[in-house]
């Protein structure tokens, strides 16, 4: 009795451990968030927002590049010092901008914000956006982690907002840090906007260089406590619930997870009951063999009770069937 229950316990424990190791990877094709599945595979490849800052006498431009589907890969030969390490999904690069010569002078900072670095998997969380106002179509908030810079933890919070008719690739500013394009066809370049005129000697805070109808919006890069956070808003129809309802099957694994836990819990409860009951019987009454089991006699009677019950049911069915025969009278 004892070795058996121990091995059963061990089995239950290993089932539980397996369930815990099933933390989902970031799969942009089937991203499971609050029992919904989102498909962001149409947004594969690098997407960049460019910001500019004037801290007199210097201008700085930053490129923030994100790929939800795969780690970023730089185009051509770029010195390792001037690019994010392998495995980076979100990368920020700060350039010193020469406003007179109209070109970048030097790379000042390279910040890997999120990704898979070494053994550590990329960690991410997702949550559905609450729709508060009428006309707000919802979406999801995705938090990506894993980066570190100057000892400070990095993360990116991306709000994927549902916007019908917007793919999510519109109005992107061409950053100077070039990345290898995704499978998505190269977008048609839109005309650049005229240069803004804020350069009046007083400087200006970091702001996005934005084209009209830009889908990817820079909301800030903030230092809070020990963490630096990049905030992005991404307008795309792929974050809409409608697109989600078309694919219910991916929900199954979640239900399976729930039932696995249910089974494990029931199993543990029964095992604990049997073990404790046997222990009681052993100690109190010095029971052995079948008598060890709590309600051992009831358990032994179960086959007879079942047989008895089946016979009764069969009898009822037969008699009601024959009574049906008389109804013709
Ligand atoms: C850098 O910012 C300036 C505005 O401050 C802008 O005119 C310029 O095009 C930007 N450079 C790049 C490569 O985006």
């Amino acid at each position: 009795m004892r070795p058996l229950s121990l091995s059963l316990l061990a089995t239950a424990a290993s089932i539980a451990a397996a369930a815990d190791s099933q933390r989902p990877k970031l799969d942009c094709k089937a991203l499971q968030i609050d029992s919904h599945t989102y498909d962001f595979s149409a947004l594969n490849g690098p997407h960049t927002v460019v910001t500019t800052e004037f801290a007199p006498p210097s201008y700085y431009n930053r490129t923030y590049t994100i790929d939800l589907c795969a780690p970023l890969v730089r185009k051509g030969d770029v010195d390792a010092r001037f690019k994010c390490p392998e495995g980076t999904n979100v990368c920020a690069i700060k350039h010193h901008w020469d406003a007179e010569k109209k070109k970048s002078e030097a790379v000042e900072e390279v910040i890997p914000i999120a990704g898979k670095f070494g053994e550590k998997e990329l960690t991410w969380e997702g949550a559905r956006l609450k729709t508060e106002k009428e006309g707000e179509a919802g979406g999801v908030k995705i938090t990506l982690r894993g980066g570190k810079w100057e000892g400070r933890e990095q993360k990116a919070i991306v709000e994927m907002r549902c916007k019908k008719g917007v793919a999510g690739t519109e109005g992107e500013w061409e950053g100077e840090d070039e990345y290898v394009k995704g499978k998505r066809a190269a977008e048609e370049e839109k005309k650049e906007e005229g240069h803004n005129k804020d350069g009046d000697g007083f400087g200006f805070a970091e702001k996005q260089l934005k084209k009209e109808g830009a889908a990817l919006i820079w909301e800030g890069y903030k230092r809070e406590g020990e963490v630096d956070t990049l905030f992005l808003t991404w307008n795309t129809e792929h974050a809409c619930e409608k697109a989600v309802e078309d694919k219910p099957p991916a929900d199954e694994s979640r239900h399976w997870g729930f039932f696995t836990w249910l089974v494990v819990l029931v199993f543990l409860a029964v095992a604990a009951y049997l073990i404790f009951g046997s222990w009681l019987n052993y100690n109190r009454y010095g029971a052995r063999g079948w008598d060890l089991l709590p309600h051992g006699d009831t358990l032994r009677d179960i086959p007879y009770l079942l047989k008895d019950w089946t016979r009764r049911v069969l009898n009822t069915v037969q008699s009601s069937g024959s009574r049906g025969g008389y109804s013709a009278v």
Side-chain angles (χ1 to χ4, degrees):
M1 175 68 206
R2 223 162 254 202
L4 175 67
S5 55
L6 276 182
S7 72
L8 288 180
L9 265 179
T11 312
S14 69
I15 292 174
D20 199 44
S21 71
Q22 282 173 343
R23 292 195 92 226
K25 283 199 177 155
L26 184 75
D27 177 8
C28 74
K29 249 199 323 281
L31 210 57
Q32 277 197 26
I33 294 167
D34 298 348
S35 84
H36 278 248
T37 305
Y38 295 87
D39 182 357
F40 293 123
S41 57
L43 297 176
N44 80 81
H47 295 273
T48 300
V49 290
V50 180
T51 65
T52 185
E53 174 193 4
F54 180 31
S58 301
Y59 286 86
Y60 299 103
N61 289 19
R62 291 176 176 86
T63 61
Y64 297 88
T65 309
I66 179 170
D67 191 338
L68 278 180
C69 298
L72 296 164
V73 180
R74 286 298 292 267
K75 208 184 219 168
D77 222 10
V78 180
D79 191 303
R81 287 177 301 156
F82 301 137
K83 64 181 178 188
C84 282
E86 212 173 292
T88 306
N89 284 72
V90 185
C91 180
I93 299 178
K94 179 182 179 184
H95 299 263
H96 184 219
W97 174 255
D98 189 326
E100 258 152 46
K101 292 187 202 146
K102 299 234 173 291
K103 69 181 187 68
S104 268
E105 286 284 270
V107 172
E108 305 256 328
E109 291 169 0
V110 177
I111 306 176
I113 293 176
K116 176 191 188 300
F117 304 110
E119 294 297 292
K120 256 183 88 192
E121 282 293 330
L122 181 150
T123 44
W124 69 278
E125 300 122 50
R128 276 161 76 198
L129 295 175
K130 286 189 205 88
T131 48
E132 275 147 20
K133 286 173 250 147
E134 195 64 36
E136 267 184 10
V140 286
K141 183 163 108 174
I142 303 173
T143 306
L144 305 164
R145 298 169 198 274
K148 235 176 180 185
W149 187 72
E150 288 194 335
R152 300 176 59 77
E153 239 163 72
Q154 306 288 317
K155 70 173 193 249
I157 298 182
V158 191
E159 283 197 16
M160 314 286 298
R161 292 221 185 110
C162 165
K163 204 152 193 191
K164 301 261 161 66
V166 175
T169 54
E170 290 86 347
E172 230 167 278
W173 190 280
E174 194 76 10
E176 54 199 294
D177 304 309
E178 284 189 273
Y179 290 90
V180 174
K181 289 229 157 53
K183 276 167 272 160
R184 168 183 58 96
E187 292 298 311
E188 278 174 58
E189 269 306 293
K190 288 191 180 168
K191 290 157 262 128
E192 271 193 28
E193 280 177 349
H195 285 144
N196 38 54
K197 292 228 172 189
D198 330 43
D200 53 8
F202 293 109
F204 50 78
E206 185 175 7
K207 62 180 183 187
Q208 185 178 1
L209 290 168
K210 209 163 36 178
K211 293 182 188 179
E212 213 175 307
L216 191 54
I217 314 291
W218 181 85
E219 308 278 9
Y221 178 61
K222 298 191 179 103
R223 294 197 143 207
E224 291 162 325
E226 292 298 298
V227 189
D228 297 335
T229 310
L230 167 66
F231 294 91
L232 295 173
T233 296
W234 203 340
N235 293 314
T236 171
E237 62 190 2
H238 301 293
C240 297
E241 302 268 312
K242 196 84 175 74
V244 167
E245 279 159 13
D246 298 334
K247 339 182 150 272
D251 279 357
E252 269 166 30
S253 59
R254 217 165 231 273
H255 294 309
W256 168 238
F258 170 74
F259 279 114
T260 311
W261 277 108
L262 199 69
V263 166
V264 167
L265 282 178
V266 167
F267 184 90
L268 283 177
V270 169
Y273 175 73
L274 286 179
I275 290 166
F276 185 68
S278 305
W279 177 80
L280 265 189
N281 284 345
Y282 181 84
N283 278 303
R284 274 209 197 141
Y285 315 114
R288 293 288 184 280
W290 269 104
D291 294 334
L292 267 174
L293 287 178
H295 305 294
D297 30 345
T298 320
L299 284 177
R300 251 176 302 171
D301 284 346
I302 281 178
Y304 304 104
L305 287 173
L306 266 181
K307 212 193 273 171
D308 197 43
W309 182 79
T310 327
R311 196 178 302 139
R312 227 180 298 168
V313 169
L314 279 178
N315 278 341
T316 316
V317 171
Q318 270 169 355
S319 63
S320 74
S322 48
R323 206 173 293 139
Y326 294 134
S327 68
V329 178

